[in-house]
Amino acid sequence: MKKLLSCLLLLFSISISAQIKSPEEFLGYPMGTKFTYHHNIVAYSRYLASQSNGLAQWQVYGQTNEGREQGQMIIANLPAGISLEQVQQNHQKRIQGEKADPTLPVIINLSFNVHGNEAAGSEAALNTLYALISNPNRSIPYVILIDPCINPDGRDAYVTQYNRRNFIPGGNADPNDQEHYEGITSGRYNHFSFDLNRDWVWQTQKETQQRLKFYRSWMPMMHADFHEQSFQHSYYFPPAAKPYLNFIAQSTKDLQESVGRSFSKLFDEKKWPYFTSEVYDLLYPGYGDTYPVLNGALGMTLEQGGIRGGLISAKSDGDTISLVDRVKHHSALALNLVEWSLTNSESLKASFYGVHDKSRTNPSNKYAYYFVPEEELVKAQDFKQLLIKNNISFSYTDVVKSVPAYEYTSMKQVAIPLNKHGLLISAKQPSAPLIQALLDPTIALEDSLTYDITAWNLFQLNGLKAFGLNENVFGPSKNQNEVKQSSLNEKKLAYQFTIVDYKSSQELIKYAIDLGAIVTYNDALNKSGIVTITSLKLTDLQRAELLKFASNRSIQLSSLDSFKSSDNFDLGSTHYKSVFVPKIAVVVDPTNDVNQQGELAYFLTQKYGFKPAFIPSNQLFRSNLFHYTHLIFPDGKHGALSNTNSILLMDWVKKGGKLILMEGARKIIEDKDLVAKEDTAKHTSTYAMRERAELSNSTSGNMLQVEVEKTHPLVFRINENSMYILNQVADFVKLPKDFTPVLKTSSKPTIMGFVGSNKKAQLANSLILGVKEMDKGKIIWFGFNPLFRAIPNQGQTIFENLFLYSEF
């Protein structure tokens, strides 16, 4: 009987293989001889699913900013009568510690082309899909999820530009040929120039949000992220390099060693060069390998040498690398990985569920409980949304016993206040490792040779006065205190509200102004971000419409019956400054920092709901600058403006314009006081230590404490005398005479994460954010990027204030 069943399965597999077209047959060219457009990747994936006799299905999980389809192939070999929905439900129950079917299948996830210009990935994905569907393994139950292109917009940007620049069939091997250089639009990033491989935990981008919803519905036990590195390199695979997060499970490390041995055997047999354990670490939680690891999976990065490789490129060692070879290497490794995963399925399942069992019962977090008092929750909206996106459970409760606890603002042990209501996060939950990475006070940095940021504590970045403790001093869970809109339909003199959600607040301000109301803020007593709407000119109908508009956006209004205020300044005081709807322009240029330019586009259009003008630099001074209230120059490789353009720009500023210069854009105005500090350190190092010597000039994305000039409107809603910025500052500037320091470093600033010794010597007494008054206008210089990757932080509050409190 067993022999008969085996023969039937073999005949079934041969039948499928004979019927299904290969990628070459379907597309009309061998894989690696052309770059495949995304719509053809989707078309072939749909075709495979339709020909798989129920083995596979193509599931659409989203759509990109430019309207391209996001989907994954689900290939499932399940016992008769078991559905995919049953597998998902039982798997999620097991993660939560409930009893579930002990024969749950192993769940494998392969992702390709998160960086659109690492284009061999999607070609290899099609080969992999064809092999797994045309010749399926029927030996054990499994679910294989394959995303052939995480970043469709970036991929098509790369492929389109490549095809436009390539004039020689088969490609030009000369690495200096134009086909080896992208055009103005980098295919690495998504529509808003965000790196989707840094966005897994933050989930700021549409593509990531949709993909992570799909990912978390399945919670794979193994996730592999297929990348490319410089075409001069060979192939990288695990084990990963240091630094690791120091609480990664030993079973995960053991599995990395095991799969690395399988890859080594394959590449040795094929005589393909490779390297391991040198560059790609497991520290930053936003990666496509670290994030799965923090969710219990075996996560890994796989890097083929190929960026700028085109269809073929000569290497500096005399060898050449072709797209055909790149696709071949990725395809072979992907199939080897699937085979290894099936062979080691019980070890993968034991490790995955073991991590979750430990997380629920005995997590290694520094604190068992993390508590945010109620008064902090107004500014914790982004923080709470991030918890929800990452399936981190929290509740609302009261403190019923006062005990010593770690307070994140002072970084000291203090008594947690008794009878405080607030938000409670317990470490004992499946997401404990992710909580540990995001909320524990410090990250243990085993090695400084990392290529990304090294500090990101969410309490400190968001300025939340939170507590960490190990004793349960909390009462039963309660519902969050709901804020209810009071009855305000009667005629009132004015209404006030506190800025919570900036986009909704801006919409209300614009609506009120359009109705004819006067909108103001108090420049002397507005630390909490209160805005006043004076409604004297409104009809009863308009007033009712205003109240309804606010209610629909969950904005809580309070009413005023008198010009007499409860504070020291009545509504008629000159300290009440006008709030108006800004007219914003951003200067765009190929020499700008592409990421920051994209961040500005994302924040201004998506987060804030503005409709700014993005003006090419060569068009700027042909435009009428007086159409705009705010002009932003992103960071980039800037030089001084011509004398004529400088005069035009300064005339606009003096007549009321707000010129916002981001980081290196300070160079356009040649201000003698905005000059970078000199590097006075001696640079001596052995040849062998040259890589580490370079780190002396690196900031590596640490968290830097800066002093706050609390009376300035730009830092309204920042409640402490100091705050933390995500510090990737390239040049530190001494405190100038003609700029008011809104943010500056002290003589001994606190640093978390890594900073090179040479940069550390320049940190003290540096300007981080300054304002220069020029008649009616202002120049505002940011020495840091407050929008970096859209990671929630107080710098974003300051950036919002630029457009909210313009009259200061």
Side-chain angles (χ1 to χ4, degrees), residues 31 93 180 256 324 333 335 366 401 576 581 593 601 711 778 795:
M31 287 291 90
K93 285 180 182 178
H180 298 285
Q256 275 229 339
V324 170
L333 188 137
L335 293 172
K366 186 173 180 63
K401 179 183 176 183
Y576 277 87
V581 179
D593 179 326
T711 68
K778 294 168 183 67

Side-chain angles (χ1 to χ4, degrees), residues 691-752:
E691 187 175 13
R692 290 188 177 277
E694 291 177 5
L695 290 172
S696 298
N697 291 309
S698 169
T699 55
S700 249
N702 56 75
M703 282 168 54
L704 175 65
Q705 186 184 39
V706 296
E707 295 181 341
V708 177
E709 202 283 88
K710 287 185 66 176
T711 68
H712 200 285
L714 283 183
V715 288
F716 284 173
R717 301 186 286 154
I718 308 294
N719 297 323
E720 302 296 329
N721 292 319
S722 67
M723 58 177 273
Y724 285 91
I725 64 168
L726 275 170
N727 171 34
Q728 288 200 314
V729 176
D731 295 320
F732 288 98
V733 169
K734 64 182 180 179
L735 294 173
K737 296 177 181 178
D738 57 352
F739 276 78
T740 300
V742 180
L743 299 178
K744 65 178 182 177
T745 58
S746 66
S747 58
K748 291 184 178 180
T750 300
I751 308 162
M752 288 184 229

Side-chain angles (χ1 to χ4, degrees), residues 65 255 611 667 687 761:
N65 285 289
L255 288 169
K611 294 182 179 179
K667 295 177 182 177
Y687 179 80

Side-chain angles (χ1 to χ4, degrees), residues 446-702:
E446 187 180 1
D447 193 295
S448 58
L449 276 177
T450 179
Y451 66 117
D452 216 280
I453 66 175
T454 56
W456 48 78
N457 183 273
L458 292 184
F459 291 140
Q460 290 161 329
L461 280 178
N462 288 278
L464 299 176
K465 188 173 286 187
F467 298 88
L469 63 164
N470 287 310
E471 185 176 345
N472 188 347
V473 298
F474 305 101
S477 296
K478 296 183 176 182
N479 292 328
Q480 183 182 11
N481 293 336
E482 293 184 4
V483 177
K484 295 183 179 179
Q485 190 74 275
S486 58
S487 178
L488 299 172
N489 287 324
E490 65 272 21
K491 189 171 183 178
K492 297 293 182 181
L493 177 72
Y495 304 99
Q496 290 185 328
F497 68 96
T498 300
I499 301 294
V500 178
D501 176 73
Y502 185 72
K503 185 176 182 179
S504 296
S505 299
Q506 279 286 359
E507 289 173 348
L508 177 59
I509 289 168
K510 183 178 185 303
Y511 189 78
I513 291 172
D514 289 345
L515 286 176
I518 297 171
V519 183
T520 59
Y521 78 96
N522 189 319
D523 73 343
L525 293 169
N526 201 34
K527 308 299 185 294
S528 60
I530 295 173
V531 171
T532 301
I533 301 174
T534 304
S535 56
L536 285 174
K537 296 181 179 180
L538 302 188
T539 65
D540 290 345
L541 178 60
Q542 287 175 322
R543 188 176 293 104
E545 290 173 348
L546 177 68
L547 297 177
K548 182 179 179 181
F549 192 93
S551 179
N552 288 341
R553 283 153 182 77
S554 301
I555 297 174
Q556 173 71 12
L557 297 179
S558 60
S559 60
L560 298 175
D561 293 313
S562 170
F563 283 106
K564 187 68 180 176
S565 176
S566 58
D567 58 45
N568 294 329
F569 301 96
D570 299 327
L571 294 188
S573 167
T574 57
H575 281 286
Y576 277 87
K577 306 288 187 182
S578 296
V579 173
F580 59 84
V581 179
K583 296 179 181 178
I584 305 166
V586 180
V587 181
V588 295
D589 191 89
T591 64
N592 285 350
D593 179 326
V594 64
N595 298 125
Q596 190 175 92
Q597 191 166 287
E599 287 158 356
L600 285 164
Y602 169 72
F603 271 87
L604 293 172
T605 64
Q606 306 299 298
K607 292 278 282 184
Y608 302 163
F610 292 133
K611 294 182 179 179
F614 295 90
I615 305 177
S617 57
N618 60 6
Q619 182 64 30
L620 180 64
F621 294 102
R622 299 174 186 173
S623 310
N624 184 350
L625 294 182
F626 292 94
H627 285 166
Y628 311 103
T629 59
H630 295 69
L631 180 60
I632 306 174
F633 278 81
D635 185 28
K637 298 177 181 177
H638 294 283
L641 295 176
S642 69
N643 187 56
T644 300
N645 289 344
S646 180
I647 291 171
L648 289 172
L649 184 62
M650 290 304 107
D651 180 60
W652 171 80
V653 171
K654 290 174 182 177
K655 291 177 180 175
K658 313 300 186 295
L659 175 62
I660 302 162
L661 305 176
M662 308 297 290
E663 303 177 89
R666 62 185 168 79
K667 295 177 182 177
I668 71 166
I669 61 173
E670 288 191 300
D671 193 295
K672 62 182 183 300
D673 277 344
L674 283 182
V675 178
K677 293 181 178 180
E678 292 185 12
D679 179 7
T680 58
K682 293 182 178 179
H683 300 277
T684 56
S685 178
T686 64
Y687 179 80
M689 290 295 289
R690 65 196 182 283
E691 187 175 13
R692 290 188 177 277
E694 291 177 5
L695 290 172
S696 298
N697 291 309
S698 169
T699 55
S700 249
N702 56 75

